[in-house]
Amino acid sequence: MRFSVIAPLALAAAPAVVSAAGSLGFALGTKLADGSCKYTADYEKDFDAISAASGSKLVRGYSADDCNCAQQILPAAKNKGFQVILGVWPDVDESFNKDKAALQNYATQYTDQVYAVTVGSETLYRGNFTGDQLLMKIKEVKAILPSVKVGTADSWNKYADGTADAVIRGGVDILLVNAFGFWQGQEIGNATATYFDDIQQAFGHVQSVSGSTSSIELWNGETGWPTDGGSSYGAAIAGTDNAKTYFSKSVCGMLAWGVNVFYFEAFDEPWKPKSVGDNGQASDETHWGAMNADRSTKFGLKC
Ligand SMILES: *[C@@H]1O[C@H](CO)[C@@H](O)[C@H](O)[C@H]1NC(C)=O
Ligand SMILES: CC(=O)N[C@H]1CO[C@H](CO)[C@@H](O)[C@@H]1O
């Protein structure tokens, strides 16, 4: 019973959330299974699969320039009635400038398809910027697309602990809060409680610093659980059964609570190299998809 978990937590910290159900979107990569760049026709197939499986018509990316993402994805979004959150990678000047140019060249032509722009993905978590430095990058991007919502995406604890306060106070339009019970090494039975607790702490802090429950649009920017073949992390065990449970309890529960959620991620990405996680162990990152790389479903994605 998900509400036996949710109700006490909601009373404990009580960040205000809207009463309507939240919206669901998916993080979407720019590469096909073999590592080659997607073109417009590939994104159209992605959109058809996402819409059929989940009803969602919203995706987010991480770099507008990577694989010519903005150029290729925006016509597909227009054709299929989708919207996209485009990403800017500000960590190094080269990617920052290329992503800004992609926004200037393509996003300005398709503003109806651009739901928002995020400047940075977990840059505060990595310690790459202070809040003030990140805010300056966000403002630079906002100047390119004044009519579009612009903000950032970071880990829940960097909002909760005050690291992002300058960004919150700086007048951004939208903030994405990443939270994974999985990456906190929670067993599946406690993952929903941990996830709700994370979101509550982050949203509560943002709302208290901004002094408003509505001035900044808030989303859970990433959550998810790896399926069969993925690497486990502490008590968090990878597997399709657990991912299915996580989706129905945590993701659907969060949406029912009125919070907008991006699931990480739409499709498996078999081209991704193994990475070394915080625990020093090599980690497989190719099985985080809600769906397989061939766009077939692993489990139901309708709440
Ligand atoms: C379960 O999650 C709650 C909420 O995050 C946390 O306080 C608690 O420590 C977790 N339990 C275990 C056994 O990790
Ligand atoms: C402003 C800043 O600190 N930028 C750094 C972010 O991280 C990259 C590499 O990880 C550095 O090259 C940048 O100088």
Side-chain angles (χ1 to χ4, degrees), residues 36-300:
S36 63
C37 290
K38 289 179 185 172
Y39 285 87
T40 299
D42 303 305
Y43 286 117
E44 289 181 345
K45 288 178 196 159
D46 286 353
F47 291 160
D48 284 342
I50 290 167
S51 174
S54 70
S56 168
K57 290 190 177 289
L58 181 66
V59 296
R60 67 169 292 213
Y62 295 84
S63 161
D65 174 72
D66 179 47
C67 279
N68 300 316
C69 177
Q71 181 186 14
Q72 297 298 328
I73 201 172
L74 291 172
K78 185 166 190 178
N79 293 342
K80 296 294 180 181
F82 264 65
Q83 285 190 305
V84 181
I85 294 187
L86 293 170
V88 170
W89 198 260
D91 303 37
V92 289
D93 285 345
E94 191 191 357
S95 60
F96 187 53
N97 291 332
K98 283 182 171 175
D99 284 336
K100 281 193 299 179
L103 294 181
Q104 184 74 61
N105 293 336
Y106 305 108
T108 51
Q109 316 294 314
Y110 287 92
T111 47
D112 286 350
Q113 274 64 54
V114 182
Y115 186 85
V117 175
T118 52
V119 182
S121 174
E122 302 192 344
T123 59
L124 300 176
Y125 178 76
R126 287 195 301 277
N128 202 241
F129 295 119
T130 64
D132 284 307
Q133 289 169 331
L134 180 57
L135 180 63
M136 282 172 60
K137 303 281 182 191
I138 293 170
K139 286 186 166 167
E140 245 184 280
V141 171
K142 179 73 179 178
I144 299 171
L145 288 164
S147 69
V148 170
K149 289 179 268 194
V150 181
T152 191
D154 220 299
S155 182
W156 68 275
N157 52 323
K158 295 289 115 185
Y159 294 104
D161 73 7
T163 308
D165 281 3
V167 174
I168 298 167
R169 291 201 185 93
V172 298
D173 307 304
I174 184 168
L175 291 173
L176 277 61
V177 175
N178 298 349
F180 292 82
F182 182 88
W183 288 123
Q184 283 161 270
Q186 293 292 319
E187 58 172 321
I188 187 67
N190 202 42
T192 304
T194 299
Y195 171 52
F196 270 75
D197 194 36
D198 296 347
I199 291 294
Q200 249 175 215
Q201 287 188 45
F203 280 31
H205 188 86
V206 171
Q207 291 172 350
S208 117
V209 169
S210 68
S212 164
T213 56
S214 58
S215 61
I216 302 175
E217 182 176 322
L218 294 174
W219 283 74
N220 171 209
E222 288 182 2
T223 199
W225 198 278
T227 54
D228 291 350
S231 301
S232 300
Y233 187 76
I237 307 301
T240 304
D241 285 349
N242 284 350
K244 181 181 174 187
T245 299
Y246 189 78
F247 190 89
S248 65
K249 290 210 170 137
S250 303
V251 174
C252 292
M254 192 60 78
L255 292 167
W257 198 35
V259 175
N260 304 313
V261 177
F262 276 101
Y263 192 80
F264 183 91
E265 57 184 333
F267 305 103
D268 283 348
E269 298 197 76
W271 65 270
K272 278 190 173 177
K274 289 213 187 321
S275 70
V276 177
D278 293 347
N279 61 356
Q281 287 168 12
S283 168
D284 175 287
E285 303 215 330
T286 68
H287 293 89
W288 280 83
M291 288 177 267
N292 295 298
D294 67 3
R295 303 188 182 90
S296 58
T297 52
K298 299 179 183 180
F299 47 81

